[in-house]
Amino acid sequence: MHLTRQAIAERVKAVDVVIEMLDARLPGSSANPMLADLTQAKPKLKLLGKQDLADPLQTEAWLAHYQAQDQTHAIALDAKHQAPVKTLLDACRRLAPTRGESLTKPMRVLICGIPNVGKSTLINRMVGKTAAKAADEAGVTKQEMRYALTDAFYLYDTPGVLWPRIIVAQTGFNLAASGAIGRNAFDDIEVALVLLDYLKTHYPQALQARYKLDHLEALMALEDEALLTHIGKGRGGLLSGGRVDMQKAAEAAIHDFRSGTLGRISLETPAEFAQWLAVGEELDAERTVRKEAFAQAKAEQKKSGQKKRW
Ligand code: G4P
């Protein structure tokens, strides 16, 4: 984590554009806050990957949200995109118009992104071989790599890392639902319940159709846990005594989301994310004040204890 931060800080100085690859289903949650600090002064391309899985309307909203930001351009694509090198170069040229046309002024680009966002798959397509190993395991890219995409277009790839402390609660759940966080770090049932809760509000028809509920009212009448139980029963995941295997049910619901079986779904809108972030930052500030007060009280206690002994 620290090494990656250092590597990015070093590389940023010598690039023309920083590409941040985001998951189009959760752009806000998949943005590494560390990167915002490190790349402040550079032109930025927000690349919304896996757009084939995201809700097109929300992707449009996120693109408009990023386009409104200073020195920022945004595009959405997926692994099946026809000409990714040209698309990326064109997008980067909008941000650094004097670069990328000649060998003496090549376009130098740094690409960053959290694990599992689809970075290796995209790079593999662009370099035309399996140089950046794509795998179903989070965080396979370990070192910085340099690729010459054309004679005058260089791409520097950095390891996909997550940041150490996630302050927005919903971000943790959304990252887990997307597959960015390793399985041991979260509880499938909790993630599935939060996911179903969001889908019930935003994509009820998708849930009704997939889990064969007679009508929307039947879906709305179910609490999240009852819905998960219903999903478990449908999948035949029963334990001894006829109890529903909630773990299997949760895995099934998460898989249906990840694979796109539920349809094209986004887990956050720009406005929702801004609201979650504001709450997260407020709670985090309160936590910091409490921590500091505790440390101060402890220091004073230690001091008065020493005086007494004296
Ligand atoms: P990373 O380097 O950012 O860590 O991600 P990577 O390319 O390894 O991709 C992670 C998973 O996401 C892979 O699936 C990959 O196939 C899938 N993926 C990448 N880009 C896209 C995309 O544009 N659309 C969709 N739908 N999926 C994408 P996997 O199940 O982990 O492995 P596999 O499918 O390659 O077997």
Side-chain angles (χ1 to χ4, degrees):
M1 167 76 200
H2 182 66
L3 283 178
T4 306
R5 192 189 160 91
Q6 252 179 349
I8 292 176
E10 265 315 298
R11 176 55 60 202
V12 156
K13 293 178 199 159
V15 296
D16 306 301
V17 174
V18 176
I19 299 181
E20 183 172 19
M21 192 155 176
L22 302 168
D23 188 322
R25 296 166 298 173
L26 45 141
S29 290
S30 56
N32 190 339
M34 180 183 90
L35 206 60
D37 292 341
L38 289 176
T39 62
Q40 260 171 23
K42 285 286 168 183
K44 281 173 268 293
L45 176 65
K46 305 281 184 181
L47 182 63
L48 274 58
K50 300 193 182 183
Q51 66 142 3
D52 56 319
L53 296 173
D55 179 338
L57 278 179
Q58 291 313 325
T59 300
E60 281 306 314
W62 277 102
L63 290 176
H65 168 79
Y66 291 126
Q67 305 283 20
Q69 293 176 1
D70 200 28
Q71 286 207 93
T72 305
H73 183 51
I75 57 171
L77 48 73
D78 56 58
K80 295 205 171 75
H81 191 81
Q82 281 308 307
V85 175
K86 183 179 182 315
T87 302
L88 278 199
L89 185 53
D90 289 349
C92 289
R93 278 214 185 105
R94 287 178 66 135
L95 291 157
T98 61
R99 310 288 314 192
E101 273 173 3
S102 69
L103 292 177
T104 52
K105 280 193 164 190
M107 178 72 77
R108 298 153 309 169
V109 169
L110 172 67
I111 187 164
C112 311
I114 62 165
N116 212 41
V117 76
K119 191 150 61 77
S120 314
T121 305
L122 176 68
I123 295 174
N124 286 343
R125 279 219 58 210
M126 295 196 295
V127 297
K129 55 186 169 158
T130 49
K133 190 175 173 297
D136 58 0
E137 207 182 298
V140 128
T141 318
K142 293 275 185 261
Q143 292 158 333
E144 183 190 80
M145 302 278 284
R146 175 182 178 275
Y147 302 99
L149 298 181
T150 71
D151 287 346
F153 187 16
Y154 302 144
L155 185 72
Y156 297 91
D157 179 25
T158 57
V161 284
L162 281 169
W163 51 106
R165 211 160 53 84
I166 291 170
I167 63 164
V168 179
Q170 192 77 23
T171 286
F173 290 117
N174 287 356
L175 287 170
S178 76
I181 297 183
R183 283 200 63 193
N184 296 334
F186 63 87
D187 177 47
D188 289 308
I189 296 178
E190 208 182 341
V191 171
L193 288 174
V194 174
L195 175 66
L196 291 173
D197 191 59
Y198 189 89
L199 299 185
K200 227 170 96 179
T201 312
H202 294 77
Y203 301 95
Q205 280 91 353
L207 285 181
Q208 187 206 342
R210 173 67 184 152
Y211 301 123
K212 302 192 170 44
L213 288 145
D214 291 340
H215 38 79
L216 277 182
E217 290 71 27
L219 170 70
M220 291 307 172
L222 290 175
E223 295 288 334
D224 299 334
E225 217 164 306
L227 177 55
L228 192 57
T229 308
H230 171 81
I231 293 170
K233 277 186 190 153
R235 296 294 170 92
L238 296 182
L239 297 167
S240 60
R243 277 177 308 124
V244 169
D245 187 337
M246 296 297 265
Q247 175 63 27
K248 283 256 158 57
E251 286 169 16
I254 293 170
H255 177 266
D256 284 349
F257 163 69
R258 280 188 194 163
S259 60
T261 309
L262 280 168
R264 297 180 70 172
I265 282 172
S266 296
L267 294 183
E268 51 203 42
T269 67
E272 278 168 348
F273 185 75
Q275 201 191 346
W276 300 339
L277 184 62
V279 173
E281 284 176 344
E282 205 178 306
L283 289 174
D284 196 51
E286 284 169 17
R287 206 176 296 129
T288 306
V289 169
R290 276 201 308 275
K291 234 171 108 180
E292 282 169 4
F294 180 71
Q296 202 181 348
K298 225 171 137 189
E300 276 166 16
Q301 209 179 26
K302 205 171 156 195
K303 227 163 91 186
S304 72
Q306 276 169 350
K307 268 191 198 152
K308 270 186 203 150
R309 274 205 299 279
W310 189 250

